[in-house]
């Protein structure tokens, strides 16, 4: 989360703009908490997901028709919480799927009728696919995007702390929309930094910066020139391709494209590739990637003929927008598996704990998981990364066959238990670190229990003091007020937990669908693959950390460990269902300290 020291001079008078910018920056920051990142899909792209899933089910690419009910439930929940979708498509979700009877009269589906009659109906499933296909066509998508931008603009211009939750939800949907329509995370993040947190820019017009930022996403394909450092190998062959030029490492003004430094020492030649694909490239990051893939494909043919193992993988590139001559200096993008929560700082202690307790989880099981995790980190293929990480889940979670639930149900049950008991503690720890970093300074000593009391117990005095201290940071104010509302009421926490469990269930099933597509079809080209890969990495790391935490407290049998985790989850949910308010003796149990 960006703090006040990072804000431009206009931030004080443009609270809505800076809140919007803070939110996007945090959602895309490579060490952001998993629950604070941009979601993989919003309502329009859940419609796209529904269309593709139904087609794959009936084409038998996905053999299990049980995918449909969970996806339909997710679609309904997304619609019911999306005010923009309701403004574009109407406020009644089930009315979207109305059908005419034999007399030509519309029959509006109800939730009860769907659950009783339609959940396993092939006819209804296909009808939903047709409706979702309509809802996700280009005209409808443009209507949704324009309405979303208009609503965000309205909230930004008339920002009020009491409506910050609404702007935050709209911003999440906006980022998700961009990621699913050809604007990569690195590009969006770079624009946020340039327009909102660039101290070298001398301006006092926050709304102007906001409008310029929005205008960058014009959905017009661009033509780019991509320049790579080049070692000269096979230059004679490369010159045969019309799109490729080999030149000296010197610009027209006499300066080097790539000055000699520790990263790129002594570059003599550059490889210039002109990318002029109509309708496919919208940003310089994708231009670089497309050029790289093209050149790599050429080298694969050279490797086939010469058998010399030629590789072309430059870390840096210069991309020029041919329409306006704007230049971007790009480094190697962050691997999706590196875009996760910060790992443990106390590495020595963690390694000691792991070596002490890993045998309790089964030597072969743990070593196998660790090797798969290592393989995922070193491979460049996101498909292989996803397969490796999912296999860890299959190794570490015991399942019952053939008389137990379907395997995916067993995986969901086990993972949601682990992630449920770790959800609030991880959110609070992230919030505590933000407060400590933004208010007290990174080296200050602060009590977590004191901060938790401010959010949990009814005393207003210190809570109001905290709001006064952080008033200059609108995103931190919004999060503080939200957590105060959540943490001070058990019923609100219970609703949050149940909602989180549902989202986890849907998302784990989505990852499993993509795992199956990769396993059976060889690849998966989903636009949000980087997001689900980051999510899966977070789930796997949390699973492994939790198993090591429980190992010394339990019988070595891993099934007993999972039973212990589920027992803690059950007791925690029972505590939340008890209507007795928090007091100064039990408030810490909010973080699963049972």
């Amino acid at each position: 989360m960006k703090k006040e020291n990072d804000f431009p001079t206009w931030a004080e008078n443009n609270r809505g703009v800076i809140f919007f910018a803070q939110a996007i920056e945090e959602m895309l920051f490579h060490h952001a908490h998993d629950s604070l990142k941009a979601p993989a899909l919003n309502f329009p792209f859940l419609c796209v997901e529904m269309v593709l899933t139904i087609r794959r089910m009936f084409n038998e690419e996905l053999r299990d028709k049980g995918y449909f009910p969970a996806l339909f439930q997710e679609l309904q929940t997304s619609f019911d919480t999306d005010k923009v979708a309701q403004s574009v498509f109407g406020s009644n979700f089930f009315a979207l799927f109305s059908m005419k009877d034999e007399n030509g009269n519309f029959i509006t589906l109800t939730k009860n009728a769907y659950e009783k009659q339609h959940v396993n109906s092939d006819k209804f499933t296909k009808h939903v696919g047709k409706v979702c296909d309509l809802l996700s066509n280009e005209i409808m998508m443009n209507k949704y995007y324009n309405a979303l931008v208009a609503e965000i603009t309205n909230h930004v211009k008339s920002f009020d702390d009491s409506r910050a939750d609404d702007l935050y939800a709209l911003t999440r949907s906006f980022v998700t929309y961009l990621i699913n329509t050809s604007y990569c995370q690195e590009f969006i993040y770079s624009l946020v930094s340039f327009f909102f947190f660039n101290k070298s820019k001398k301006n006092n017009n926050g709304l102007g910066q906001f409008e310029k930022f929005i205008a960058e996403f014009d959905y017009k394909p661009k033509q780019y020139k991509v320049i790579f450092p080049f070692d000269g190998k096979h230059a004679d062959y490369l010159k045969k391709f019309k799109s490729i030029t080999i030149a000296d490492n010197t610009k027209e003004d006499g300066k080097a494209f790539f000055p000699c430094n520790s990263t790129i020492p002594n570059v003599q030649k550059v490889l210039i590739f002109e990318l002029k694909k109509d309708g496919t490239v919208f940003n310089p990051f994708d231009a670089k990637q497309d050029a790289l893939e093209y050149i790599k494909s050429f080298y694969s043919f050279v490797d086939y003929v010469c058998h010399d193992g030629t590789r072309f993988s430059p870390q840096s590139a210069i991309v020029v927008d041919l329409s306006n001559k704007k230049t971007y200096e790009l480094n190697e993008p962050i691997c999706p598996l590196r875009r996760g929560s910060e790992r443990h700082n106390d590495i020595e202690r963690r390694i000691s704990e792991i070596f002490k307790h890993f045998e309790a989880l089964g030597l072969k099981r743990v070593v196998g998981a660790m090797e798969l995790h290592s393989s995922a980190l070193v491979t460049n293929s996101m498909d292989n990364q996803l397969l490796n990480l999912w296999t860890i889940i299959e190794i570490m979670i015991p399942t019952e066959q053939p008389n137990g639930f379907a395997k995916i149900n067993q995986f969901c049950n086990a993972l949601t238990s682990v992630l449920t008991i770790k959800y609030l503690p991880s959110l609070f720890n992230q919030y505590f670190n933000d407060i400590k970093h933004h208010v007290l300074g990174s080296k200050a000593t602060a009590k977590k229990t004191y901060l938790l009391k401010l959010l949990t117990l009814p005393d207003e005095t210190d809570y109001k003091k905290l709001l006064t201290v952080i008033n200059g940071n609108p995103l931190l104010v919004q999060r503080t007020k939200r957590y105060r509302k959540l943490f001070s009421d058990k019923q609100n926490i219970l609703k949050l937990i149940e909602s989180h469990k549902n989202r986890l269930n849907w998302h784990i099933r989505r990852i499993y669908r993509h795992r199956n597509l990769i396993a059976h079809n060889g690849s998966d080209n989903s636009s949000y693959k980087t997001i689900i890969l980051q999510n899966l990495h977070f789930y796997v790391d949390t699973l492994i950390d939790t198993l090591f935490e429980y190992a010394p407290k339990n019988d070595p049998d891993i099934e007993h460990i999972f039973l212990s985790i589920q027992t803690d989850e059950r007791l925690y949910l029972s505590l939340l269902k008890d209507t007795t308010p928090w007091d100064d003796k039990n408030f810490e149990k909010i973080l699963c300290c049972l």
Side-chain angles (χ1 to χ4, degrees):
M1 181 189 296
K2 288 288 187 182
K3 58 181 180 177
E4 292 173 63
N5 291 343
D6 302 310
F7 295 173
T9 55
W10 49 256
E12 186 176 350
N13 299 319
N14 291 270
R15 197 171 175 85
V17 176
I18 204 67
F19 177 89
F20 172 77
Q22 275 187 291
I24 297 182
E25 191 276 339
E26 183 183 59
M27 290 173 197
L28 297 177
F29 183 60
H30 57 280
H31 283 318
H33 186 282
D34 188 70
S35 292
L36 302 178
K37 292 177 184 174
L41 299 171
N42 56 10
F43 178 74
F45 290 98
L46 277 168
C47 288
V48 175
E49 176 90 346
M50 179 67 84
V51 172
L52 294 175
T53 300
I54 290 173
R55 286 177 184 170
R56 288 162 174 164
M57 282 164 46
F58 286 100
N59 291 340
E60 295 191 349
E61 291 178 66
L62 295 172
R63 300 178 185 275
D64 185 357
K65 293 185 178 180
Y67 291 121
F68 176 78
L71 190 53
F72 190 78
Q73 185 185 21
E74 184 181 9
L75 189 71
Q76 180 193 349
T77 300
S78 178
F79 180 85
D80 289 344
T81 56
D82 190 332
K83 295 179 181 178
V84 174
Q86 292 177 34
S87 72
V88 175
F89 304 120
S91 59
N92 187 334
F93 173 76
F94 285 100
L96 294 172
F97 305 99
S98 298
M99 302 172 69
K100 284 187 174 182
D101 62 16
E102 58 186 7
N103 298 318
N105 298 316
F106 277 105
I107 303 174
T108 299
L109 184 69
T110 65
K111 184 176 181 180
N112 288 337
Y114 159 70
E115 291 175 347
K116 290 180 180 179
Q117 300 175 22
H118 295 283
V119 67
N120 294 315
S121 165
D122 283 356
K123 179 180 178 181
F124 178 70
T125 301
K126 291 178 179 178
H127 177 67
V128 168
K130 292 176 182 177
V131 173
C132 287
D133 198 19
L134 171 65
L135 297 179
S136 61
N137 70 21
E138 185 176 357
I139 295 174
M140 292 297 190
M141 287 291 224
N142 288 339
K143 282 184 178 180
Y144 180 91
Y145 179 74
N146 292 334
L148 177 61
V149 170
E151 194 68 17
I152 289 173
T153 303
N154 176 51
H155 276 71
V156 164
K157 289 181 176 179
S158 58
F159 182 79
D160 185 284
D161 284 348
S162 64
R163 301 173 65 198
D165 286 353
D166 291 336
L167 179 54
Y168 188 77
L170 291 166
T171 304
R172 284 173 66 82
S173 188
F174 175 72
V175 175
T176 297
Y177 193 99
L178 293 179
I179 291 172
N180 280 278
T181 50
S182 299
Y183 289 104
C184 64
Q185 295 180 59
E186 286 84 1
F187 180 62
I188 305 169
Y189 189 88
S190 69
L191 290 180
V192 170
S193 298
F194 177 76
F195 283 108
F196 302 117
F197 302 111
N198 185 352
K199 290 188 176 182
S200 65
K201 290 176 68 66
K202 303 296 182 181
N203 66 77
N204 294 300
N205 187 352
L207 284 175
Q209 294 302 102
F210 169 78
E211 290 168 355
K212 290 177 182 178
F213 173 78
I214 295 295
E216 287 284 333
F217 307 104
D218 56 10
Y219 289 95
K220 294 178 181 178
K222 308 290 194 304
Q223 295 183 352
Y224 292 98
K225 178 167 67 176
V226 187
I227 305 166
F228 295 106
F230 181 57
D231 62 5
K233 193 171 185 179
H234 297 310
D236 291 339
Y237 300 145
L238 281 165
K239 289 177 182 177
K240 298 180 183 296
F241 286 78
K242 294 181 180 179
S243 298
I244 293 176
T245 303
I246 309 297
D248 292 331
N249 183 29
T250 308
K251 301 180 187 177
E252 293 178 0
D253 59 6
K255 295 181 180 179
F257 286 104
F258 299 96
C260 182
N261 55 47
S262 58
T263 305
I264 313 174
N266 203 22
V267 176
Q268 299 295 322
K269 298 284 186 181
V270 293
L271 187 156
I272 303 172
F273 182 89
E274 292 208 11
L275 194 71
K276 297 183 178 180
K277 292 183 181 178
D278 293 334
T280 57
V281 183
F282 294 91
N283 66 83
F285 288 85
D286 285 346
K288 175 196 171 186
Q289 192 59 33
D290 278 15
L292 198 56
E293 291 300 321
Y294 183 91
I295 296 168
K296 282 183 176 180
S297 67
F298 164 78
Y299 271 109
S300 69
F301 287 106
V302 173
D303 192 25
Y304 171 72
V305 175
C306 300
H307 278 67
D308 63 356
T310 303
R311 293 292 179 267
F312 185 79
S313 55
Q315 294 185 349
S316 301
I318 294 170
V319 181
V320 181
D321 186 333
L322 297 178
S323 64
N324 56 20
K325 304 303 180 183
K326 187 174 181 180
T327 299
Y328 303 85
E329 296 181 5
L330 307 183
N331 293 318
E332 189 173 15
I334 298 172
C335 168
L337 294 195
R338 305 290 183 185
R339 299 181 65 94
S341 299
E342 287 188 86
R343 300 305 299 144
H344 304 281
N345 293 324
D346 50 346
I347 295 176
E348 185 174 338
R349 181 184 65 82
R350 288 288 299 152
I351 289 178
S352 296
E353 286 183 357
I354 288 173
F355 285 171
K356 182 178 179 181
H357 301 300
F358 81 100
E359 289 188 4
L361 299 176
L363 184 60
K364 289 184 179 180
R365 187 192 302 268
V366 176
V367 170
M370 294 298 111
E371 289 178 346
L372 285 165
H373 189 275
S374 296
S375 297
L377 288 174
V378 298
T379 182
N380 291 323
S381 166
M382 286 193 288
D383 289 341
N384 288 339
Q385 289 168 346
L386 193 145
L387 289 175
N388 286 340
L389 292 179
W390 183 265
T391 305
I392 292 174
I393 290 174
E394 295 189 344
I395 288 175
M396 299 304 290
I397 296 178
T399 56
E400 296 179 7
Q401 291 292 332
N403 298 321
F405 299 139
K407 268 194 173 183
I408 183 56
N409 292 341
Q410 296 180 61
F411 294 145
C412 284
N413 286 342
L415 266 181
T416 53
S417 290
V418 169
L419 295 166
T420 294
I421 63 174
K422 293 298 179 183
Y423 181 48
L424 283 188
S426 65
L427 280 183
F428 177 76
N429 284 335
Q430 178 66 54
Y431 173 73
F432 172 77
N433 289 332
D434 286 336
I435 289 287
K436 183 178 176 181
H437 182 60
H438 293 264
V439 179
L440 302 173
S442 58
K443 295 182 179 180
T445 301
K447 297 279 188 179
K448 287 186 178 181
T449 53
Y450 174 72
L451 184 58
L452 188 59
K453 273 187 177 182
L454 295 187
L455 301 178
T456 309
L457 302 183
D459 181 21
E460 291 283 327
T461 305
D462 287 344
Y463 170 66
K464 289 181 178 179
K465 287 180 181 178
L466 175 62
L467 288 180
T468 301
V469 171
I470 65 174
N471 186 57
N473 192 315
L475 183 57
L476 199 53
V477 169
Q478 179 260 353
R479 188 150 298 148
T480 300
K481 290 182 175 180
R482 179 171 179 263
Y483 286 177
R484 168 78 165 179
K485 182 178 179 181
L486 285 172
F487 290 0
S488 61
D489 188 313
K490 290 183 179 181
Q491 291 305 306
N492 287 341
I493 298 174
L494 185 60
K495 290 177 183 177
L496 176 69
I497 293 293
E498 294 297 339
S499 174
H500 182 62
K501 288 176 68 174
N502 284 335
R503 292 196 305 273
L504 285 172
N505 196 296
W506 298 328
H507 209 51
I508 293 165
R509 292 175 188 276
R510 176 175 297 110
I511 294 169
Y512 185 62
R513 284 199 300 274
H514 287 275
R515 176 266 175 202
N516 288 343
L517 285 171
I518 294 169
H520 299 303
N521 295 348
S523 65
D524 171 35
N525 297 317
S526 302
S527 56
Y528 54 85
K529 182 161 59 177
T530 58
I531 296 180
I532 65 172
L533 185 56
Q534 293 167 48
N535 296 146
L536 177 58
H537 189 206
F538 177 80
Y539 299 165
V540 166
D541 282 358
T542 304
L543 171 64
I544 293 173
D545 287 349
T546 304
L547 292 176
F548 280 127
E549 176 188 333
Y550 273 74
K553 307 174 187 176
N554 292 272
D555 186 289
D557 192 327
I558 198 166
E559 292 186 358
H560 291 177
I561 292 175
F562 276 103
L563 285 175
S564 180
I565 292 171
Q566 290 175 359
T567 298
D568 281 354
E569 179 194 16
R570 177 177 57 80
L571 292 174
Y572 180 57
L573 294 177
S574 298
L575 173 67
L576 296 178
K577 291 174 183 177
D578 181 356
T579 57
T580 306
W582 300 115
D583 57 38
D584 58 3
K585 295 180 180 178
N586 70 354
F587 73 95
E588 288 182 278
K589 291 185 177 180
I590 191 175
L591 300 183
C592 304
C593 299
L594 301 172

